[in-house]
Amino acid sequence: MLILGIETSCDETGVALFDTGEGLLAHALYSQVAMHADYGGVVPELASRDHVRKLLPLCDDVLAKASRTRQDIDGIAYTAGPGLVGALMVGGSVAHALGYALGVPVLGVHHMEGHLLAPMLEERPPAFPFIALLVSGGHTQLVKVDGIGEYQLLGESVDDAAGEAFDKTAKMLGLDYPGGPQVAKLAEQGTPGRFRFPRPMTDRPGLDFSFSGLKTYTLNTVNDAREAGELDDQTRADIANAFEAAVVDTLVIKCRRALEETGVRRLVMAGGVSANRRLRAALETMVAKHRAEVFYARPEFCTDNGAMIAYAGAQRLMAGQRDGDRILAVPRWPMDTLPPMNEPRREGLVSQK
Ligand code: KG4
Ligand code: ZN
């Protein structure tokens, strides 16, 4: 089956072609980062309009790269949520229009399920069960994964997501949007240990996270340094370093706890923040000590992309799941309401509960 995958939940237009026999054939991404940078964050209406401009040319682009035509497509998967509703509507409308014209099934995919399954596209894919650390701009979750659609939420952030904390810290340090990669780059120049930031919620049992206190601590440190006339480049780098160390430590402590509590020995890390090199290195050190393994996608498939949606959609389309005639756009959508693979539901992926 040849599946066209479409991702338009936020500020990247991602398209890919995944063949269930041959694997990933082609993918293309257009990032709107430069357009939103002037505003310091994503402007939803501009995002939707730009997806309208870019989506069909990108579809033609991947078909050309894979030497296929629209008539070769056997199914279409698009991100149905969570995300910006206008942006989601663009992907859903194009997917349904193409599906109707070509007479092929269409399926709305959960964006975080896409992230979660992205490491399956790599040479050494993880086997089930595994513990997934989902760390993106909107989510920080630990999930026990027994199979596709078999998700047990172990813990999540009670306030800001890890990526959001990176983005807000970037703003405090005068760095451009999106902040995560910029904070990580600045942190490399920092002196470890000059500042020590708190590791929130690590001193009590449980697998939930909280990053808003860390954000306030960072803001106070920036303000104190500014008032003391010390907010030079080195101090900014030292603050970035201390912030990154605190986030990485916190995530590693909770991942270790999740492995210990469940007895599972495979850890998957997914979502934009999983591109962070310090986090990868720290998790590798931790799993080595616990005779466990860690898996993640290549950096370009950690952040938003069409390949992960094509892959996740292909698995569910193969199991017979598909949308009805409705275009799905679900801004908030808990992942544990998704049906498992062995219970194909004709009405699609949105829980009727
Ligand atoms: O998964 P993603 O592309 O979009 C969402 O679904 O949210 O994640 C984007 C988030 C942003 O907050 C961005 O700052 C963060 O991932 N991010 C990083 C890095 N690369 C992206 N955070 C820390 N270090 C990075 N290298
Ligand atoms: Zn994402």
Side-chain angles (χ1 to χ4, degrees), residues 194-195 224-236:
R194 175 169 164 206
F195 297 101
D224 288 351
R226 186 177 290 119
E227 274 166 33
E230 285 173 4
L231 196 60
D232 54 13
D233 287 351
Q234 189 57 49
T235 299
R236 288 167 60 248

Side-chain angles (χ1 to χ4, degrees), residues 339-352:
M341 288 289 278
N342 56 8
E343 278 176 36
R345 293 187 202 171
R346 289 274 155 191
E347 73 270 25
L349 286 184
V350 174
S351 166
Q352 303 298 301

Side-chain angles (χ1 to χ4, degrees), residues 200-333:
M201 292 179 81
T202 53
D203 56 350
R204 65 189 92 160
L207 295 169
D208 284 338
F209 304 89
S210 164
F211 290 107
S212 87
L214 180 60
K215 179 185 67 187
T216 309
Y217 195 95
T218 309
L219 183 62
N220 290 341
T221 309
V222 171
N223 287 341
D224 288 351
R226 186 177 290 119
E227 274 166 33
E230 285 173 4
L231 196 60
D232 54 13
D233 287 351
Q234 189 57 49
T235 299
R236 288 167 60 248
D238 295 346
I239 292 173
N241 191 297
F243 165 81
E244 190 184 47
V247 175
V248 167
D249 259 13
T250 305
L251 294 174
V252 171
I253 290 168
K254 297 283 165 138
C255 286
R256 186 177 64 215
R257 212 177 268 177
L259 293 176
E260 280 166 2
E261 285 181 12
T262 58
V264 174
R265 296 208 173 277
R266 280 179 292 268
L267 178 70
V268 163
M269 163 166 82
V273 182
S274 67
N276 186 280
R277 278 198 260 152
R278 196 164 173 187
L279 178 59
R280 287 179 175 220
L283 281 176
E284 274 171 22
T285 307
M286 184 273 284
V287 295
K289 278 191 204 142
H290 283 71
R291 283 181 286 117
E293 289 174 283
V294 62
F295 301 83
Y296 29 68
R298 69 196 84 164
E300 63 181 324
F301 291 166
C302 288
T303 44
D304 293 349
N305 65 85
M308 66 184 194
I309 302 303
Y311 178 84
Q315 308 312 307
R316 289 187 175 278
L317 283 160
M318 269 199 297
Q321 297 178 358
R322 55 231 338 62
D323 283 0
D325 290 335
R326 272 169 56 222
I327 297 167
L328 302 179
V330 195
R332 288 178 179 277
W333 186 5

